[in-house]
Amino acid sequence: MNSNVMEKFNLKTDAGNLIPCEAIIPKEPTAIVIVTHGFGSCKESPTAQMMLKELPEAGFGAIAYDLPAHGTSGAENEELSLALCVKYMKTVEEYLISEYLFPRIYYFSSSFGAYTNLTYLSRESHTGDKSFLRSAAVNMPELFDRTANPADAELLEKQGYLTIEEGGPAPVKVPLRFFEELEQNNLFDVIPEPISSTPQFDGMEFMMVHGEKDMVIDPAKARLFAEKKSIPLEMLQNEDHTLSTNPETPLVVAKLARDFFTD
């Protein structure tokens, strides 16, 4: 695959888990950006599709994919786990390494996708050296506190999963194991301070962009994370978690990402 035409294809993990993908890779791209959506979303989301358009126009390749238990292209049948989300990102990166000659790889990740990206980078060897974190779910475990709602906790204990509707293409089935994985993976503890202080993150560049009126991921938590980890943060006024309150903001975010990847 090496064109400016959208390609749709499936990858599989070494265990056979399905990863539906969409990609546009120009000839001799400056770099190839792995685009990861948020919880309840999919590769067809407005943000992912925007980046599949904007990045190739700036000379970058872009590949978006569905996380397990997400989308409507087959990955929704896979069981959600943080470990499998990490495996999906690893598989996509390995595909790029095998398909292209010495590719430069970057990451563009939204919300839970950003949480997944940071987890992936902390756990796995990786080629990518720039990561743009959009509305990053830096406090993801707090959002999935299974003790917060007694009725949900009882149902989770009884049937082993909860079904969560996030306004995406389909509800997401969330097993008990996923809650347990999040409890054991607090990014404030996992990610070093500063982020570049360990070999795993040495030489990497990060940027965060967040809405000052984000009602999902507390802007104060985003500021604290960015400060503690020494990550540049662009706080957008009058914007919520979607970063689309103002119709012009999505393209503002795309430009911030392009500039970050270009520098």
Side-chain angles (χ1 to χ4, degrees), residues 6 21 25-26 29 34-35 51 59 68 88 97 110 154 159-160 168 176 207 209:
M6 174 77 76
C21 301
I25 315 290
I34 299 174
V35 179
M51 299 313 297
Y88 269 39
I97 293 170
S110 298
E154 182 178 353
Q159 67 180 16
L176 173 60
M207 180 178 180
V209 61

Side-chain angles (χ1 to χ4, degrees), residues 50 239 243-252:
M50 175 182 68
E239 278 298 341
L243 298 182
S244 61
T245 302
N246 185 322
E248 297 177 357
T249 301
L251 287 177
V252 170

Side-chain angles (χ1 to χ4, degrees), residues 110-123:
S110 298
S111 194
F112 171 62
Y115 174 87
T116 298
N117 179 239
L118 288 166
T119 302
Y120 165 65
L121 295 174
S122 72
R123 294 183 181 183

